[in-house]
Each structure stands twice: as C-alpha cells, then as structure tokens.
Amino acid sequence: MLFACILLTGCITDGTFRSILPKDAELKAGDVVFRRGGGLTSRAVLMADVQGQYSHIGIVVDSAGQKMIVHAVPGEPDFEGDEDRVKMDTPEQFFSSQFTLIGEVCRPHDSLVAFRAAEVAKRQYYKRVRFDHDYDDSDSSRMYCTELVSYVFHQAGIDIVGSERHHVDLPIIKADCIFPSDIHSSKYIKTIIMFHK
C-alpha cells in the first residue's frame, strides 16, 4: 500500500511543464548540474544517498555555440523505442518541472579541466553509450549519471570523487556506486546558483 502511494504521489501532475532554471543563469561548458525530482527513482536514490539532496547529475557542453547538458539517464526516451543512454538535452529540458523540484549549477575551479571534461562528455554522447543498469563503474562501455561525470573529469585530468564507493542494496539498485553527493562535495567545484520549483 505504501509503495502504491509513493508511486502515485510521484506521478501527479497537471500535464504542463516549464523549466525551473532561472532565465538569467549563465552556464559554461564543464559546469556540473544537479537536480532532484519527485518520482520513485529520485526517492530511491535519496534513500540510498542519505547525505545528499540531489538524485541526478549532468555536465554542460557547448554544442555548435549552444549550451546543452549531457547526462546518462533511464526512462527519458526521446522517441518510441529509444534506449536508455547518454543523452544531450537543452538546459530547459534537463531542468523541466517534469523531472525537477530543485536544481543547482556548480563550476569547476579549473576552466581548462572544465573544457576538456565537456569535450569528453560530448564524445560519450556521440558514441551513444548506453545507460548502465548494473551501476558498475569499472566498465566504461555503459554508464550511469555519476559514473559519466566522474569519468569525463578523470579523462580531463582530475579525480573528482576519489576511490570511495557506496554499497547499495535496494530493489532497483544492488551495487557499489558513486552518489551525487560525492561529486557535489568535491573540492574541485563550487556552487554558482541554486534554485527550486
């Protein structure tokens, strides 16, 4: 019964969505973006990541002069039959009220590292890397959201989270993985803006 209530309350909506990202927010390539939703998956992540306030993460890239967000996400297909994979969405889509209750933009201290990480993230998108439902960051052929961000920064020259992993044993996740809070608390990034629905 409790499960059914959680599921239903996470899905109630009037069918109209808007971006909660403030219009004056200036994004830069390499910015790390965080969001928390109200759905079942977000709640499961937050149950596991008790130190955190966010359930999903991505990285800003520059795509032909337009800022976009690359992220690895399940359950957000672009078309019927679309597989769970690394996606590139507009900031407005990423921070849509459909998926987001609160959000935050963090910026790396090192702009060169930020640029390099964003370029690596774009390559992962163009390779159509699939979402890692096993949450195994020892294999980069598939990626989950925090694994993607950790990977691109490692390729750019910094270890944004270190080697610590958290054991999770939930119905939807059984793995040793990186939490959004691990990246959020990194000494390599700083908060630029926080916002809410």
Side-chain angles (χ1 to χ4, degrees), residues 116-190:
R116 289 176 179 161
E119 291 300 300
V120 175
K122 278 196 298 191
R123 290 198 294 272
Q124 299 308 107
Y125 166 72
Y126 288 120
K127 284 167 58 177
R128 296 187 59 83
V129 172
R130 292 183 181 179
F131 186 83
D132 183 359
H133 289 279
D134 294 324
Y135 296 87
D136 176 10
D137 60 277
S138 67
D139 175 8
S140 61
S141 65
R142 294 174 185 252
M143 294 188 173
Y144 60 97
C145 68
T146 49
E147 177 186 4
L148 171 66
V149 173
S150 175
Y151 174 84
V152 301
F153 277 98
H154 182 76
Q155 294 297 306
I158 64 169
D159 191 353
I160 199 166
V161 293
S163 60
E164 183 181 354
R165 298 296 180 265
H166 306 275
H167 183 70
V168 179
D169 190 1
L170 295 172
I172 64 167
I173 304 172
K174 295 183 189 313
D176 294 314
C177 54
I178 303 165
F179 287 159
S181 64
D182 296 326
I183 295 175
H184 187 261
S185 64
S186 173
K187 65 182 180 181
Y188 294 106
I189 60 176
K190 63 183 177 185

